[in-house]
């Protein structure tokens, strides 16, 4: 099945966010956020899937390829220029473009291309990384963009964003000489993704069980 998420669902999504006539990237972000919130990743990273898009949407679950191919087709349905990109993962080793081996491709992500601008890489199986930065697992590795039967190219995934952690402290000494108040912290980019994951997992997060 070559369809993405049912069109009526996406129309209602864009209508609810007042994005019917929005710029393509604003629509893409809304669709990306919707897909990754709607789907459950089965913890399997793969460059292929046995599920078609309709089955993936019905199950609301799948491996990385199934989820991202559903995202891809939905974006394309809405007129957004996007393509699949086969990728290696940091934990699985480096992809050599001069002598690629199929087994080195461990997942599929979505590429949004804009003329004269940096490509945007999306992985809807990752619920925490912000829309505007590449998935951490594919950083500093090559991916292979598939635009058509005779149109493909290599892309090196590089993260330009810096990680900022900012703390705001509002406090004062009370009559007993104790400092009382509140601390607010703000994180962005990969730091933001890490803390979102920690908050979602609570005591089960890997850092607490290392």
């Amino acid at each position: 099945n070559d369809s993405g998420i049912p069109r009526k669902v996406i129309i209602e999504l864009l209508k609810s966010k007042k994005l019917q006539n929005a710029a393509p990237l604003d629509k893409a972000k809304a669709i990306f956020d919707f897909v990754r919130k709607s789907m459950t990743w089965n913890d399997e990273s793969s460059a292929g899937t046995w599920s078609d898009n309709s089955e993936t949407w019905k199950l609301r679950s799948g491996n990385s390829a199934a989820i991202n191919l559903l995202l891809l087709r939905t974006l394309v349905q809405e007129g957004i220029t996007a393509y699949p990109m086969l990728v290696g993962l940091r934990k699985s080793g480096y992809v050599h473009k001069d002598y690629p081996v199929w087994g080195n491709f461990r997942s599929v992500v979505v590429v949004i291309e804009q003329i004269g601008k940096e490509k945007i890489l999306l992985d809807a199986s990752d619920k925490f990384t912000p829309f505007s930065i590449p998935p951490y697992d594919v950083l500093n590795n090559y991916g292979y963009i598939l635009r058509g039967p005779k149109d493909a190219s290599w892309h090196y995934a590089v993260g330009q964003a810096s990680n900022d952690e900012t703390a705001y402290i509002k406090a004062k000494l009370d009559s007993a000489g104790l400092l009382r108040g509140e601390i607010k912290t703000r994180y962005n980019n990969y730091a933001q993704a890490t803390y979102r994951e920690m908050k979602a997992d609570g005591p089960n997060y890997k850092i607490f069980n290392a």
Side-chain angles (χ1 to χ4, degrees), residues 117-130:
K117 296 183 180 180
E118 184 67 24
K119 295 175 176 61
I120 296 176
L121 309 184
L122 303 175
D123 180 3
S125 67
D126 171 1
K127 292 186 178 293
F128 305 104
T129 301

Side-chain angles (χ1 to χ4, degrees), residues 38-136:
S38 301
M39 304 299 296
T40 298
W41 179 43
N42 66 7
D43 293 326
E44 178 187 344
S45 295
S46 176
T49 175
W50 293 105
S51 302
D52 63 23
N53 290 328
S54 62
E55 183 179 358
T56 300
W57 176 243
K58 181 179 179 180
L59 295 174
R60 302 292 199 277
S61 178
N63 64 19
S64 59
I67 292 173
N68 285 321
L69 291 176
L70 175 66
L71 168 65
L72 171 68
R73 186 56 190 163
T74 306
L75 292 172
V76 171
Q77 282 180 180
E78 295 306 312
I80 296 164
T81 302
Y83 303 101
M85 184 170 83
L86 297 169
V87 295
L89 301 176
R90 293 169 65 91
K91 61 188 176 184
S92 303
Y94 191 74
V95 175
H96 296 273
K97 68 173 185 176
D98 294 327
Y99 45 95
V101 177
W102 172 252
N104 288 340
F105 293 115
R106 298 302 182 93
S107 191
V108 177
V109 299
V110 176
V111 179
I112 294 178
E113 291 194 316
Q114 309 171 87
I115 297 175
K117 296 183 180 180
E118 184 67 24
K119 295 175 176 61
I120 296 176
L121 309 184
L122 303 175
D123 180 3
S125 67
D126 171 1
K127 292 186 178 293
F128 305 104
T129 301
F131 173 82
S132 58
I133 65 175
Y136 181 77

